[in-house]
Amino acid sequence: REELMQRLASVEKKALDALLKDAGKRLGSARAALLKAELDSLAAKHHSPRFWAKEVA
């Protein structure tokens, strides 16, 4: 299960930022910043192209 979570789990940046902001209220800003730095060092970032289309009249 842990191996699958490492390969498949993902979190959107906005959701992670909100979670860290909430944790900062409970942990304090210094510990929240440390947690963010640790998560950033472990994160594997992937970008995917997005195509937005809009009907033109």
Side-chain angles (χ1 to χ4, degrees), residues 19-53:
L19 181 66
L20 288 172
K21 184 177 179 180
D22 183 52
K25 293 176 185 174
R26 290 180 281 120
L27 300 174
S29 61
R31 291 197 67 187
L34 183 61
L35 176 59
K36 182 176 181 354
E38 185 175 353
L39 290 173
D40 284 343
S41 72
L42 296 172
K45 299 175 184 175
H46 299 280
H47 300 280
S48 61
R50 297 185 188 257
F51 178 75
W52 297 92

